[in-house]
């Protein structure tokens, strides 16, 4: 069935009933289930036979079937009539009955034998079944329309039609028949359908909610229970999605020996059950990580958000192709003054110590992580008193002044604490901060310098905490279906972009795991995660598995990460993906993580033939003199040996362009070994 973009804006172009009726059988993780055809082991072996050879054998066996039928019928009629004389004295009606029975016996026996030897079951599966016709025959007939006329194309389209189903049967049987009748008269897209079905499932929790469901559908039709943005689809939609299963198809698994038999020549797809274990993708620039992985997943998460099943946070450079701004509800671009949203540097947490600790971890560069504890303590010594005194967190400029110990801000802070009766609680912290000032190892100087990267005219109002700047966005809203895009100023302020990337990712990991309502899948996509990861964030990735959340992390090379984090990151993620062109030392990490498997290996050894007597030896000498070849004996040895699934050399040099190798782990623990996937088209 040709892929069409489902959507509410395409009135009449999306057949909802046919889309709902498409088979979606249970399959292993990573298989695109829409229209997938299950193949057993016997069918898998038959599927290896080339098409030409398959059809030629089928034709020969068809001829043999009819030949056997005629010969068998003649022999049986002769035996029963001539040798046994069974036809003597029978009436014409009796003779006809016996002849029909003999015909049935011979044709049944011949068909049973030659159906199997001719592999007609595979011919049916590959060409004559509805799925096989749509996959192999209908496209050829459609191309032939220029030569055979439009009638042939119409017959191909008619053969490709999927039987329709009633998409609103649950509502009709559940007491909302009026709502179902209203929806029947409207053009409803896949996003609308999934969103309405989700609302219906919620209404089933209590019968008193059913009338409210009916009222909403009667009033708004396909726009019932719409996303707060009132968007019902994405304006630009390129990927192939199945929102019923929350799958996005990324490519096709290759029919090669390295792939498991169940994952050969099938659609490759990802869904929240796989993304919930987080995905790490490594590959050089230009290999398609963004275009063929990050953008389709982002598109899928945004569609699922509109359908009310997910919330999405996407982080990347301002120039990264991660979809237009119209895809998102919140666009945070600190380097663009015209944007409406800023970023809450403290994540809207109510615990000042926790907020200061997160900010300190984001501010420190990788080479100074050894001073992380003292940096956290220093920030906590000034953030807590300020929050208590003024009821809000300090802005970037105020925080720099506090760390530098400027009297213009410290004196009013002490006065405010004294007036509120809280000075005794924080007096020790403030005194310690004053004693640290001027020392060579004062962490406050380092933190103030790092904060200076965010205190730039281009970021004016982006991080305000006093209500004078842009509206601050905080990650605590991950229990709402929101689409958030964070545009990092990597070209103009690369170090500030690094700080913001680490801060946002850290806030997401903490907020996703701390959610009370985890019914929405919280998806994070980081286009370049080299600057966004630290030890605490990596530990948080593992906690997200049980919180219905996951991250997609893209890296150009593992060498961009500190050495101590590389092994931790591999252990924290469940899905690993490698693109062509990686360095062998990067491939070594994947190769070791994927381990070995048992291979049935055959060795053939040739040795000179020295057997026999004088006559045989003389014959071998004569043969060598005349032909120049030596007679040899051949010995065959078979054994089971362990081999790497993918060696570092294969990953570095043997991957074709547009392909990737990916291993999968589902949230349930089910694993899929490395798959070679074609991501083109």
């Amino acid at each position: 069935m040709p892929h069409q973009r489902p959507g509410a804006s395409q009135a009449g172009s999306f057949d909802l009933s046919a889309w709902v009726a498409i088979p979606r059988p249970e399959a292993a993780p990573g298989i695109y289930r829409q229209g997938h055809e299950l193949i057993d082991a016997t069918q898998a072996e038959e599927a290896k036979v080339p098409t030409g050879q398959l059809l030629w054998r089928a034709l020969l066996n068809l001829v043999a079937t009819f030949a056997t039928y005629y010969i068998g019928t003649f022999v049986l009629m002769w035996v029963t009539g001539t040798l046994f004389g069974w036809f003597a004295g029978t009436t014409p009606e009796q003779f006809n009955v016996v002849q029909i029975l003999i015909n049935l016996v011979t044709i049944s026996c011949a068909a049973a034998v030659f159906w199997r030897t001719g592999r007609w079951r595979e011919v049916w599966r590959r060409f004559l079944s509805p799925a096989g016709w749509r996959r192999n025959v209908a496209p050829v007939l459609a191309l032939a329309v220029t030569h055979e006329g439009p009638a042939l194309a119409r017959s191909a389209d008619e053969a490709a039609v999927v039987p329709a189903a009633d998409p609103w049967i649950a509502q009709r049987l559940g007491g909302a028949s009026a709502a179902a009748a209203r929806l029947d008269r409207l053009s409803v897209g896949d996003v609308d359908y999934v969103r309405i079905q989700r609302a219906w499932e919620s209404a089933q929790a209590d019968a008193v909610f059913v009338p409210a469901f009916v009222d909403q559908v009667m009033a708004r039709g396909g726009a019932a229970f719409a996303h707060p943005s009132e968007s019902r689809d994405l304006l630009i939609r390129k990927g192939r999605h199945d929102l019923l299963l929350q799958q996005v198809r990324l490519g096709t698994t290759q029919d090669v020996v390295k792939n498991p038999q169940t994952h050969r020549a099938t659609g490759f797809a990802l869904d929240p059950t796989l993304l919930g274990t987080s995905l790490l993708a490594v590959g050089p620039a230009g290999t398609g990580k963004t275009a063929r992985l990050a953008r389709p997943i982002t598109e899928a998460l945004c569609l699922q958000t509109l359908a009310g099943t997910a919330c999405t946070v996407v982080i990347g450079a301002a120039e990264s192709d991660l979809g237009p701004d119209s895809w998102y509800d919140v666009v945070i671009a600190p380097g663009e003054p015209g944007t409406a949203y800023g970023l809450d540097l403290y994540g809207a947490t109510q615990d000042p110590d926790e907020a200061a600790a997160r900010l300190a971890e984001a501010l420190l560069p990788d080479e100074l992580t050894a001073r992380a504890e003292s940096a956290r303590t220093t920030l906590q010594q000034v953030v807590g008193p300020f929050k208590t005194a003024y009821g809000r967190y300090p802005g970037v400029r105020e925080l720099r002044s506090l760390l530098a110990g400027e009297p213009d801000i410290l004196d009013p802070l002490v006065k405010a604490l004294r007036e509120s009766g809280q000075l005794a609680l924080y007096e020790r912290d403030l005194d310690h901060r004053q004693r640290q000032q001027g020392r060579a190892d004062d962490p406050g100087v380092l933190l103030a310098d790092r904060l200076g990267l965010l205190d730039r005219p281009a970021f004016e109002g982006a991080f305000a905490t006093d209500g004078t700047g842009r509206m601050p966005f905080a990650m605590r809203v991950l229990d709402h279906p929101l689409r958030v895009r964070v545009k990092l100023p990597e070209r103009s302020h690369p170090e500030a972009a690094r700080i913001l990337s680490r801060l946002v990712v850290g806030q997401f990991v903490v907020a996703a795991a701390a959610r009370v309502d985890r019914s929405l899948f919280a998806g994070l996509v980081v286009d370049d995660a080299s600057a966004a990861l630290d030890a605490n964030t990596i530990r948080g990735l593992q906690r997200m598995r049980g919180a219905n959340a996951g991250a997609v992390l893209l890296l150009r090379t593992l060498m961009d990460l500190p050495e101590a984090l590389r092994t931790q990151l591999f252990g924290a993620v469940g899905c690993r993906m490698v693109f062509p062109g990686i360095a062998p030392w990067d491939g070594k990490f994947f190769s070791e993580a994927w381990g070995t498997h048992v291979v049935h290996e055959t060795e053939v050894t040739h040795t000179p033939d020295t057997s026999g007597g004088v006559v045989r030896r003389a014959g071998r000498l004569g043969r060598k003199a005349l032909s120049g070849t030596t007679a040899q004996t051949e010995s065959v040895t078979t054994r089971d040996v362990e081999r790497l699934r993918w060696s570092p050399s294969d990953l570095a040099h043997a991957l074709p362009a547009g392909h990737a190798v990916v291993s999968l782990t589902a949230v349930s623990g089910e694993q899929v070994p490395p798959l070679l996937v074609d991501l083109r088209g």
Side-chain angles (χ1 to χ4, degrees), residues 140-153:
V140 177
L141 295 179
L143 289 176
V145 66
T146 55
H147 305 285
E148 302 296 337
L152 189 60

Side-chain angles (χ1 to χ4, degrees), residues 236-470:
I236 302 175
R237 186 165 165 183
K238 297 180 180 179
R240 184 172 181 180
H241 308 273
D242 186 6
L243 293 181
L244 274 181
L245 302 177
Q246 295 180 277
Q247 286 189 316
V248 53
R249 178 167 179 160
L250 300 178
T252 304
T253 54
Q254 297 300 279
D255 189 3
V256 294
V257 177
K258 283 183 176 291
N259 283 352
Q261 191 69 61
T262 55
H263 287 76
R264 295 181 186 175
T266 63
F268 173 71
L270 294 176
D271 57 62
T273 63
L274 296 172
L275 296 179
T277 63
S278 296
L279 167 66
L280 171 66
V282 179
T287 53
K289 298 192 307 299
T290 300
R292 294 172 178 159
L293 178 65
R295 182 185 169 102
I297 291 179
T298 297
E299 183 176 308
L301 290 174
C302 287
L303 287 171
Q304 293 169 24
T305 301
L306 293 180
T309 59
C311 58
T312 308
V313 178
V314 180
I315 305 172
E319 59 273 9
S320 297
D321 183 17
L322 296 171
D325 290 352
S326 61
W327 280 13
Y328 303 96
D329 308 306
V330 176
V331 177
I332 304 171
E336 299 177 12
T339 54
Y341 287 91
L343 180 65
D344 187 344
L345 297 180
Y346 305 93
T349 179
Q350 298 302 314
D351 184 356
D353 288 346
E354 180 184 351
R358 289 189 209 164
L359 183 57
E361 291 165 0
L363 288 173
L364 285 182
D366 293 330
E367 58 271 16
L368 294 178
T369 53
R371 303 182 63 182
E373 188 60 40
S374 60
R376 282 194 291 266
T377 302
T378 299
L379 266 184
Q380 290 168 349
Q381 288 172 348
V382 295
V383 170
F386 191 96
K387 175 71 164 56
T388 302
Y390 299 110
R392 63 177 179 86
Y393 288 107
V396 173
R397 193 161 299 172
E398 293 169 325
L399 188 54
R400 288 187 68 191
S401 300
L402 287 170
L403 292 170
E406 296 181 4
D408 292 343
I409 191 169
L410 277 177
D411 293 343
L413 174 60
V414 173
K415 181 180 178 181
L417 289 172
R418 182 179 292 110
E419 292 176 352
S420 62
Q422 301 291 328
L423 181 59
L425 185 62
Y426 295 102
E427 189 172 9
R428 181 180 301 175
D429 284 343
L430 294 176
D431 290 343
H432 185 270
R433 178 84 285 278
Q434 289 179 347
R435 288 194 301 269
Q436 288 279 64
Q437 292 171 8
R439 295 177 54 176
D441 60 345
D442 181 13
V445 177
L446 171 63
L447 293 172
D449 290 342
R450 301 292 293 175
L451 281 168
L453 298 170
L454 303 180
D455 190 15
R456 303 294 303 158
F459 303 146
E460 186 65 30
F463 313 117
T465 61
D466 56 0
T468 60
R470 308 175 203 174

Side-chain angles (χ1 to χ4, degrees), residues 107-307:
I107 193 66
S108 299
C109 293
V113 173
F114 294 105
W115 171 273
R116 184 178 182 84
T117 59
R119 298 184 176 180
W120 272 94
R121 182 175 62 174
E122 176 63 14
V123 174
W124 168 265
R125 188 190 69 81
R126 199 181 296 188
F127 300 103
L128 302 180
S129 67
W133 180 276
R134 291 194 302 271
R135 184 171 56 250
N136 298 316
V137 181
V140 177
L141 295 179
L143 289 176
V145 66
T146 55
H147 305 285
E148 302 296 337
L152 189 60
R154 284 198 302 272
S155 64
D157 291 338
E158 291 169 359
V161 173
V162 178
D166 185 359
W168 311 112
I169 184 65
Q171 286 79 5
R172 296 185 211 281
L173 299 178
S177 56
R182 167 113 168 101
L183 293 170
D184 283 337
R185 299 190 295 269
L186 302 172
S187 177
V188 179
D190 57 347
V191 177
D192 295 333
Y193 178 76
V194 173
R195 188 185 64 251
I196 294 174
Q197 288 294 90
R198 178 178 169 84
W200 173 252
E201 292 173 1
S202 299
Q204 295 302 291
D206 194 329
V208 299
F209 296 136
V210 174
F213 173 87
V214 175
D215 292 342
Q216 176 75 201
V217 172
M218 296 300 292
R220 305 200 62 190
F225 313 101
H227 185 265
S229 67
E230 293 296 329
S231 297
R232 298 168 59 188
D233 203 352
L234 301 179
L235 296 179
I236 302 175
R237 186 165 165 183
K238 297 180 180 179
R240 184 172 181 180
H241 308 273
D242 186 6
L243 293 181
L244 274 181
L245 302 177
Q246 295 180 277
Q247 286 189 316
V248 53
R249 178 167 179 160
L250 300 178
T252 304
T253 54
Q254 297 300 279
D255 189 3
V256 294
V257 177
K258 283 183 176 291
N259 283 352
Q261 191 69 61
T262 55
H263 287 76
R264 295 181 186 175
T266 63
F268 173 71
L270 294 176
D271 57 62
T273 63
L274 296 172
L275 296 179
T277 63
S278 296
L279 167 66
L280 171 66
V282 179
T287 53
K289 298 192 307 299
T290 300
R292 294 172 178 159
L293 178 65
R295 182 185 169 102
I297 291 179
T298 297
E299 183 176 308
L301 290 174
C302 287
L303 287 171
Q304 293 169 24
T305 301
L306 293 180

